[in-house]
Amino acid sequence: MGQGTSDASSFKGLGEGGDDGFARAACGSKQDGQLESNPVHQKVTELHGLFRQLEDALANPKVAAVGDTYRKLAAWNKDHRWDPDLQSVLEVLSQEHMCPMWRRQALEEAYRLFYDDVAIRGLEEELAQLPEPPTSEDIGFRQLPEALLSSAAARQPVYRGSFEDQNACMVYRRRWDYEIRKTGEVGQPTVQGRSISFTGHSRYMCAGDVATKVAQAVLPVESCCAARETANRARGPFFLPHGGRAEPLRPPTAQDLRVGSASTVASNPAGPKQRETLEPLKWDDGMEVPQRARLVRFPPPRREG
């Protein structure tokens, strides 16, 4: 294979054992010394482990664990975004027995729903432990489903989503359907978790009859429809494809790093600036308004007396 790629078949079997579409066994189980010393294998193990930890923490509502794991995932993205072997890491990770794109999208949506649920409930201590979900710019202006952006999405017991492979050939398209369900007891004051389950997979043709017949005769279907991830299109902590408005990313040059470091020291020689503490909002009677990181709706007016 060419430079920057790896033989994904050498990783086949790692992380297998899960019947829900996500590898339950730890990615990178010991099989031989060559795999253990492979830097791509090590990175796949790290990233796959973080995805699994986040999903487990979301399924069992542990707010602190969810927040810590998401921070580690965002830090991993920042540290390895420009690694020359990131393409190989994503290709291995995209295999169905690992953590393919459809499941990473479901994981991102599960975190958004979990975060919104905490904000809606007004759980200030728990909300302070959760980083905000990736912004539109972070994910490369990828369009989010309207159902996910609805104010009622976090309240519903089940959210149904889908992922369509945009990296396949021009003739075939693949689609994965999944559900994100609330976990835990209903009606409890604590926040409920989120679990992901695979519901179906479909493949369909999207070209004219002539082109379809030619493709069937010339192109191998499985090879044509294989989800080939490209590192230069991946955005955000979950490494999902960017939207149409995203500008191409360019790695920082050595001069950019020197200028950025010098400007940081010159503008703030004493160290990082402390975040300014703002006064809390209060009602007319002096009672504090519960903090909400994301305003879903205005609070109803208080009744006097």
Side-chain angles (χ1 to χ4, degrees), residues 240-290:
L240 293 170
H242 62 67
R245 294 173 49 200
E247 297 182 359
L249 292 179
R250 295 179 176 84
T253 62
Q255 182 178 0
D256 294 335
L257 296 176
R258 289 195 299 269
V259 172
S261 177
S263 61
T264 302
V265 174
S267 61
N268 193 10
K273 182 180 180 181
Q274 298 295 328
R275 181 178 294 182
E276 181 182 0
T277 303
L278 302 178
E279 291 292 332
L281 297 176
K282 295 183 178 181
W283 301 101
D284 293 338
D285 57 6
M287 296 294 293
E288 291 187 7
V289 179

Side-chain angles (χ1 to χ4, degrees), residues 210-222:
V210 176
T212 298
K213 292 179 180 179
V214 172
Q216 288 177 327
V218 177
L219 298 177
V221 174
E222 293 300 327

Side-chain angles (χ1 to χ4, degrees), residues 128-204:
Q129 302 177 59
L130 296 174
E132 291 191 10
T135 64
S136 179
E137 183 177 1
D138 293 337
I139 62 177
F141 303 100
R142 170 168 44 88
Q143 186 174 2
L144 299 177
E146 294 184 5
L148 181 66
L149 301 177
S150 170
S151 60
R155 304 177 186 272
Q156 296 175 351
V158 181
Y159 169 82
R160 294 177 175 83
S162 63
F163 175 83
E164 183 173 312
D165 180 20
Q166 300 294 335
N167 290 335
C169 68
M170 297 300 294
V171 178
Y172 294 97
R173 288 291 183 268
R174 301 177 70 181
R175 170 181 168 135
W176 291 260
D177 298 309
Y178 53 85
E179 290 181 347
I180 302 175
R181 292 181 173 271
K182 282 188 175 183
T183 61
E185 299 182 9
V186 180
Q188 295 297 321
T190 56
V191 65
Q192 294 179 263
R194 295 294 190 281
S195 65
I196 300 171
S197 59
F198 173 73
T199 59
H201 168 253
S202 60
R203 181 175 60 202
Y204 58 92

